[in-house]
């Protein structure tokens, strides 16, 4: 036995009691049908983590409407009844294997690179995203310049998130996670250089976080108090991995303070290395700033596959749960291995994410 005991204590997130503090981070695998239906392969894939001892699984980002939210071809959706039915199989199987499961709800914003409903993209402002499309998700070349969302469309986005959250509830999920990270729509609004709006959604930090707050409040109102609702936040983006909030700690105080008052049960913070100072070379980590200013449960993510580091985040009171991404892809039985002191396998991107991120035979 190792000494990582705190990781394996039960925890309650909102109304969800989780058997341990270790979750699978949301990971896009573009393995749904072209109509966005979860497949039997996805049932096996998600269930393998539950069998491997993870207490909580957060699904890949799932699109929320039949307009601008789809981000990648073969991404699953939660828009239509058939999509709800397909996800039920994943949920039931994961539950039978003893884990809890939240669905991550995603609106692509300007980073869409494969949407079967629309050719053009929608963003806070008509600013072309920097960087290149992700080849592991079947993209190529630069991103398109999005059209600036009208006020009516912004209201429509809130309604789409609500509709999707209710569908996730119908499918039997234990909760939902709003994707407010990585440069997609909500993070696009939050980010100074992608949001040049002059209305109440642009300018100050309070204005830039407003859409995330409105989505959070509207979902809470729609799903009631018995369904767990969280949000994921990051500084980095898939197309800008070194981005830092210009407002630093003051900005973090506003962002986490506003979100903490929006009816959320948890804030999931993703950084490259979760324990490192959020800004510069000293000071608090982003997870601890979320805890301090958000005053709700915190999930921490970012290179926490080393059980000692993961355990420290819990023992220091910085996080209530940790999530593991690539380390879970390499060890779907990470929890069982750590409990029994077995060595962990190293993540091999060339085997799992090449030629693209689709689920591989050996993973199911
Ligand atoms: C293949 C892959 C797909 C990902 N897809 C998502 C996603 O759909 N939503 C999300 O919020 N983060 C996504 N991420 C980011 C992970 O959730 C996580 O933040 C990142 O891998 C860092 O954690 P790690 O160091 O434990 O791997 C993805 C990461 C990988 C490797």
């Amino acid at each position: 036995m190792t000494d990582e005991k705190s990781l394996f204590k039960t925890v309650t997130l909102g109304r969800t009691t989780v058997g341990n503090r270790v979750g699978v981070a949301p990971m896009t695998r573009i393995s749904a049908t072209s109509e966005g239906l979860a497949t039997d392969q996805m049932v096996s894939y998600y269930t393998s983590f539950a069998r491997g001892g993870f207490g909580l699984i957060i699904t890949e980002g799932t699109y929320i409407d039949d307009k601008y939210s789809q981000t990648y071809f073969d991404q699953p959706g939660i828009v239509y009844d058939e999509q709800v039915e397909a996800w039920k199989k994943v949920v039931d199987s994961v539950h039978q294997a003893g884990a809890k499961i939240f669905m991550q709800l995603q609106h692509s914003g300007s980073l869409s690179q494969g949407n079967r409903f629309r050719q053009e993209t929608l963003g806070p402002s008509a600013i072309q995203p920097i960087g290149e499309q992700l080849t592991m998700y079947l993209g190529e070349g630069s991103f398109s310049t999005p059209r600036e969302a009208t006020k009516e469309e912004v209201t429509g986005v809130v309604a789409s998130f609500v509709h999707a959250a209710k569908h996730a509830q119908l499918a039997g999920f234990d909760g939902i996670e709003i994707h407010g990270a990585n440069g997609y729509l909500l993070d696009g609004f939050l980010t100074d250089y992608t949001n040049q709006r002059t209305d109440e959604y642009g300018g100050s930090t309070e204005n830039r976080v407003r859409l995330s707050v409105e989505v959070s409040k509207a979902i809470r109102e729609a799903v009631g108090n018995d369904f767990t609702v969280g949000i994921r936040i990051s500084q980095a983006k898939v197309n800008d991995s070194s981005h830092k909030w210009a407002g630093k700690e003051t900005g973090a105080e506003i962002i986490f303070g506003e979100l903490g008052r929006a009816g959320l049960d948890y804030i999931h913070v993703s950084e490259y290395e979760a324990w490192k100072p959020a800004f510069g070379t000293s000071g608090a980590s982003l997870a601890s700033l979320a805890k301090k200013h958000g005053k709700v449960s915190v999930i921490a993510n970012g290179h926490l596959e080393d059980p000692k580091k993961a355990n420290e985040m819990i023992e220091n009171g910085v996080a209530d749960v940790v999530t593991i991404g690539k380390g879970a892809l390499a060890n779907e039985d990470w929890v069982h291995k750590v409990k029994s002191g077995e060595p962990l396998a190293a993540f091999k991107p060339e085997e799992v994410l090449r030629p693209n991120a689709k689920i591989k035979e050996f993973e199911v």
Side-chain angles (χ1 to χ4, degrees):
M1 280 291 284
T2 58
D3 58 357
E4 282 82 26
K5 294 203 187 66
S6 298
L7 283 175
F8 305 123
K9 290 191 181 134
T10 60
V11 64
T12 302
L13 288 173
R15 292 296 174 94
T16 308
T17 300
V18 183
N20 58 48
R21 312 289 183 114
V22 196
V24 179
M27 282 180 284
T28 292
R29 300 305 304 271
I30 52 165
S31 295
T33 68
S34 55
E35 290 82 32
L37 302 176
T39 63
D40 289 346
Q41 184 197 44
M42 288 166 66
V43 174
S44 306
Y45 164 76
Y46 279 114
T47 306
S48 72
F49 297 114
R51 293 217 178 96
F54 283 93
L56 176 68
I57 295 164
I58 304 174
T59 71
E60 60 208 279
T62 301
Y63 66 80
I64 58 168
D65 63 21
D66 55 5
K67 301 183 183 75
Y68 296 93
S69 65
Q70 187 178 357
T71 316
Y72 305 110
F73 289 125
D74 302 340
Q75 179 185 21
I78 188 74
V79 184
Y80 302 118
D81 292 345
E82 308 82 73
Q83 293 173 335
V84 173
E85 290 306 313
W87 274 114
K88 269 186 188 163
K89 291 191 203 161
V90 175
V91 173
D92 290 347
S93 178
V94 164
H95 281 164
Q96 266 169 32
K100 299 292 162 64
I101 181 162
F102 297 164
M103 168 173 274
Q104 190 184 54
L105 303 180
Q106 176 174 23
H107 191 300
S108 62
S110 56
L111 297 184
S112 177
Q113 46 176 75
N115 180 357
R116 72 189 164 108
F117 306 103
R118 293 283 191 279
Q119 290 290 331
E120 61 173 0
T121 56
L122 190 76
S125 304
I127 293 169
Q128 186 181 23
I130 61 172
E132 300 263 296
Q133 294 186 26
L134 284 81
T135 49
M136 75 167 170
Y137 302 138
L138 317 174
E140 211 188 340
S142 49
F143 291 95
S144 320
T145 301
R147 185 169 59 72
E148 177 174 317
T150 63
K151 280 282 259 302
E152 212 174 21
E153 283 171 324
V154 173
T155 309
V157 164
V158 179
S160 295
F161 268 104
V162 166
H163 180 254
K166 283 160 94 175
H167 267 181
Q169 205 172 15
L170 270 181
F173 282 95
D174 301 287
I176 60 95
E177 175 169 293
I178 300 160
H179 199 340
N182 297 355
Y184 300 107
L185 187 75
L186 299 182
D187 188 39
F189 270 78
L190 181 59
T191 302
D192 43 17
Y193 73 87
T194 51
N195 179 349
Q196 313 234 307
R197 298 178 74 95
T198 51
D199 62 7
E200 69 268 36
Y201 295 99
S204 66
T205 308
E206 285 87 347
N207 281 357
R208 286 185 280 111
V209 79
R210 187 181 306 280
L211 182 56
S212 294
V213 170
E214 286 182 1
V215 167
S216 305
K217 285 184 175 166
I219 289 180
R220 169 58 71 211
E221 174 118 333
V223 299
N225 287 330
D226 288 341
F227 193 60
T228 303
V229 180
I231 193 164
R232 193 170 217 227
I233 295 292
S234 67
Q235 300 192 85
K237 294 140 201 356
V238 288
N239 62 330
D240 183 5
S241 59
S242 58
H243 180 75
K244 296 280 177 191
W245 294 342
K248 300 195 172 152
E249 289 224 23
T250 317
E253 182 173 353
I254 297 167
I255 292 163
F256 294 130
E258 293 279 334
L259 293 172
R261 291 186 290 274
L264 295 165
D265 295 305
Y266 74 85
I267 301 173
H268 186 176
V269 176
S270 179
E271 285 267 270
Y272 179 63
E273 291 173 315
W275 61 93
K276 290 262 175 85
F279 311 106
T281 52
S282 64
S285 66
L286 202 62
S288 64
L289 291 170
K291 190 93 184 160
K292 181 173 168 196
H293 300 297
K295 301 187 172 66
V296 294
S297 298
V298 167
I299 303 182
N301 167 261
H303 270 295
L304 292 174
E305 66 276 0
D306 172 354
K308 289 217 159 36
K309 287 243 155 55
N311 199 55
E312 264 168 39
M313 297 295 288
I314 305 289
E315 293 220 314
N316 296 345
V318 170
D320 301 277
V321 170
V322 298
T323 56
I324 302 174
K326 297 180 286 292
L329 295 180
N331 305 274
E332 82 290 342
D333 53 353
W334 190 95
V335 169
H336 289 334
K337 279 182 177 159
V338 172
K339 274 188 176 167
S340 62
E342 261 181 80
L344 294 166
F347 175 64
K348 295 194 178 125
E350 66 281 7
E351 284 178 13
V352 185
L353 302 179
R354 309 278 188 276
N356 56 52
K358 285 185 187 292
I359 299 168
K360 305 295 177 297
E361 273 299 304
F362 65 83
E363 294 185 82
V364 296

